Amino acid sequence: MSIRAKAFKFGDGINTDYIISGKYKFKSNDMDEMAHHAMEELDPDYYERVHPAGGILVAGTNFGCGSSREQAPLVLIHSNTKAVLAKSFARIFYRNAINTGLPAVECDTSRIAEGDEIELDLEAGLVRNISRGEEIPFSPLPAVMAQLLADGGLAAHFRKNGGFKLG
Protein backbone atom coordinates (compact mmCIF):
# COMPACT_ATOMS: atom_id res chain seq x y z
CA MET A 1 0.00 0.00 0.00
CA SER A 2 1.44 3.33 -1.06
CA ILE A 3 0.05 6.74 -0.09
CA ARG A 4 1.19 10.07 -1.49
CA ALA A 5 -0.02 13.41 -0.14
CA LYS A 6 1.00 16.75 1.34
CA ALA A 7 2.19 16.90 4.97
CA PHE A 8 0.17 18.76 7.61
CA LYS A 9 2.53 19.25 10.55
CA PHE A 10 1.68 19.36 14.26
CA GLY A 11 3.76 19.06 17.44
CA ASP A 12 3.99 16.80 20.48
CA GLY A 13 1.24 15.65 22.84
CA ILE A 14 -1.70 16.03 20.45
CA ASN A 15 -4.53 14.53 22.49
CA THR A 16 -7.85 13.18 21.29
CA ASP A 17 -9.61 16.39 22.39
CA TYR A 18 -7.45 18.28 19.89
CA ILE A 19 -8.24 15.73 17.18
CA ILE A 20 -11.98 16.02 17.84
CA SER A 21 -13.21 18.17 20.69
CA GLY A 22 -15.38 16.48 23.29
CA LYS A 23 -18.01 19.16 22.73
CA TYR A 24 -18.90 17.42 19.44
CA LYS A 25 -18.85 13.85 20.73
CA PHE A 26 -22.50 13.78 21.77
CA LYS A 27 -23.90 16.14 19.12
CA SER A 28 -23.68 13.76 16.19
CA ASN A 29 -22.77 10.25 15.09
CA ASP A 30 -22.30 11.46 11.52
CA MET A 31 -18.53 11.22 10.97
CA ASP A 32 -18.72 13.26 7.75
CA GLU A 33 -20.25 16.12 9.73
CA MET A 34 -17.86 15.71 12.66
CA ALA A 35 -14.89 15.66 10.26
CA HIS A 36 -15.46 19.38 9.65
CA HIS A 37 -14.18 19.88 13.20
CA ALA A 38 -11.08 17.67 12.96
CA MET A 39 -8.03 19.36 14.50
CA GLU A 40 -9.93 22.68 14.76
CA GLU A 41 -8.58 23.45 18.25
CA LEU A 42 -5.06 23.65 16.74
CA ASP A 43 -5.88 24.58 13.14
CA PRO A 44 -9.40 25.92 12.52
CA ASP A 45 -8.85 25.51 8.75
CA TYR A 46 -7.55 21.92 8.85
CA TYR A 47 -10.64 20.39 7.24
CA GLU A 48 -10.75 22.97 4.44
CA ARG A 49 -7.03 22.51 3.77
CA VAL A 50 -6.88 18.71 3.89
CA HIS A 51 -10.25 17.58 2.56
CA PRO A 52 -10.03 18.45 -1.15
CA ALA A 53 -6.83 16.56 -2.05
CA GLY A 54 -6.16 14.56 1.11
CA GLY A 55 -3.15 14.81 3.36
CA ILE A 56 -0.81 13.07 5.73
CA LEU A 57 -0.89 14.33 9.30
CA VAL A 58 2.65 14.54 10.72
CA ALA A 59 3.24 14.91 14.46
CA GLY A 60 5.81 14.53 17.21
CA THR A 61 5.61 12.36 20.28
CA ASN A 62 2.60 10.85 22.05
CA PHE A 63 0.07 11.49 19.29
CA GLY A 64 -3.49 10.60 20.31
CA CYS A 65 -2.98 10.68 24.06
CA GLY A 66 -5.96 11.24 26.32
CA SER A 67 -9.29 9.47 26.15
CA SER A 68 -9.90 6.41 24.03
CA ARG A 69 -12.27 8.02 21.57
CA GLU A 70 -12.74 5.89 18.48
CA GLN A 71 -14.11 9.06 16.89
CA ALA A 72 -10.58 10.53 16.77
CA PRO A 73 -9.23 8.32 13.96
CA LEU A 74 -12.66 8.21 12.30
CA VAL A 75 -12.91 11.99 11.92
CA LEU A 76 -9.39 12.03 10.50
CA ILE A 77 -10.40 9.40 7.93
CA HIS A 78 -13.55 11.35 7.06
CA SER A 79 -11.58 14.58 6.74
CA ASN A 80 -9.49 12.84 4.01
CA THR A 81 -6.42 12.38 6.18
CA LYS A 82 -4.72 9.44 4.47
CA ALA A 83 -2.29 8.49 7.26
CA VAL A 84 -0.67 9.75 10.46
CA LEU A 85 3.09 9.78 10.94
CA ALA A 86 4.39 10.43 14.45
CA LYS A 87 7.47 9.83 16.56
CA SER A 88 5.24 7.90 18.96
CA PHE A 89 1.55 7.17 19.53
CA ALA A 90 -0.62 6.64 22.55
CA ARG A 91 -1.33 2.90 22.56
CA ILE A 92 -5.14 3.13 22.44
CA PHE A 93 -5.16 5.69 19.61
CA TYR A 94 -2.72 3.53 17.63
CA ARG A 95 -4.94 0.44 17.89
CA ASN A 96 -8.09 2.47 17.16
CA ALA A 97 -6.40 3.90 14.06
CA ILE A 98 -5.47 0.49 12.67
CA ASN A 99 -8.87 -0.96 13.62
CA THR A 100 -10.69 1.82 11.77
CA GLY A 101 -8.41 1.65 8.71
CA LEU A 102 -6.19 4.70 9.29
CA PRO A 103 -2.49 3.96 8.71
CA ALA A 104 -0.47 5.07 11.76
CA VAL A 105 3.31 4.91 11.36
CA GLU A 106 5.98 5.56 13.98
CA CYS A 107 9.02 7.21 12.43
CA ASP A 108 11.34 10.19 12.78
CA THR A 109 9.21 13.13 11.69
CA SER A 110 11.73 15.86 12.57
CA ARG A 111 12.80 16.50 8.96
CA ILE A 112 9.29 16.69 7.54
CA ALA A 113 7.95 20.23 7.16
CA GLU A 114 4.45 21.60 6.64
CA GLY A 115 3.55 21.23 2.97
CA ASP A 116 6.21 18.66 2.06
CA GLU A 117 5.08 16.09 -0.49
CA ILE A 118 5.27 12.70 1.23
CA GLU A 119 5.04 9.17 -0.12
CA LEU A 120 4.38 6.44 2.41
CA ASP A 121 5.23 2.86 1.38
CA LEU A 122 3.77 0.61 4.07
CA GLU A 123 5.15 -2.65 2.63
CA ALA A 124 8.71 -1.35 2.23
CA GLY A 125 8.71 0.47 5.57
CA LEU A 126 9.75 3.73 3.96
CA VAL A 127 8.63 7.35 4.03
CA ARG A 128 9.90 9.30 1.03
CA ASN A 129 9.99 13.06 1.44
CA ILE A 130 9.67 13.99 -2.23
CA SER A 131 10.10 17.71 -1.48
CA ARG A 132 13.47 17.21 0.26
CA GLY A 133 14.71 14.12 -1.57
CA GLU A 134 15.05 12.20 1.70
CA GLU A 135 13.98 8.76 2.88
CA ILE A 136 12.94 7.83 6.40
CA PRO A 137 12.85 4.13 7.23
CA PHE A 138 10.41 2.62 9.71
CA SER A 139 9.61 -0.88 10.89
CA PRO A 140 6.93 -2.28 8.59
CA LEU A 141 3.64 -3.14 10.25
CA PRO A 142 3.10 -6.72 11.39
CA ALA A 143 1.25 -8.80 8.77
CA VAL A 144 -1.95 -8.83 10.87
CA MET A 145 -2.10 -5.03 11.00
CA ALA A 146 -1.17 -4.65 7.33
CA GLN A 147 -4.03 -7.00 6.41
CA LEU A 148 -6.49 -5.06 8.56
CA LEU A 149 -5.46 -1.80 6.86
CA ALA A 150 -5.66 -3.37 3.39
CA ASP A 151 -9.21 -4.51 4.17
CA GLY A 152 -10.23 -1.06 5.45
CA GLY A 153 -10.09 -1.79 9.18
CA LEU A 154 -11.22 -4.48 11.60
CA ALA A 155 -14.99 -4.32 10.93
CA ALA A 156 -14.44 -4.33 7.16
CA HIS A 157 -12.07 -7.29 7.55
CA PHE A 158 -14.74 -9.23 9.48
CA ARG A 159 -17.39 -8.44 6.86
CA LYS A 160 -15.08 -9.42 4.01
CA ASN A 161 -13.92 -12.69 5.58
CA GLY A 162 -16.85 -13.70 7.74
CA GLY A 163 -14.62 -13.47 10.81
CA PHE A 164 -11.02 -12.89 11.77
CA LYS A 165 -9.11 -14.71 9.03
CA LEU A 166 -5.61 -13.88 7.86
CA GLY A 167 -3.61 -14.95 4.86
Side-chain angles (χ1 to χ4, degrees), residues 136-157:
I136 305 163
F138 64 88
S139 296
L141 297 174
V144 171
M145 290 183 178
Q147 185 65 55
L148 292 178
L149 283 175
D151 289 343
L154 184 60
H157 175 83

Side-chain angles (χ1 to χ4, degrees), residues 34-96:
M34 288 178 65
H36 290 267
H37 304 289
M39 305 301 291
E40 79 176 11
E41 297 287 326
L42 300 174
D43 179 357
D45 299 321
Y46 180 78
Y47 179 84
E48 287 77 19
R49 295 187 321 121
V50 76
H51 190 262
I56 296 176
L57 195 153
V58 177
T61 59
N62 206 20
F63 186 84
C65 56
S67 67
S68 61
R69 289 192 179 117
E70 188 176 73
Q71 292 99 332
L74 287 172
V75 298
L76 291 177
I77 290 168
H78 286 262
S79 73
N80 207 13
T81 300
K82 303 292 186 188
V84 178
L85 309 179
K87 292 180 182 179
S88 64
F89 289 91
R91 179 185 56 81
I92 293 174
F93 176 87
Y94 184 80
R95 286 307 311 208
N96 281 340

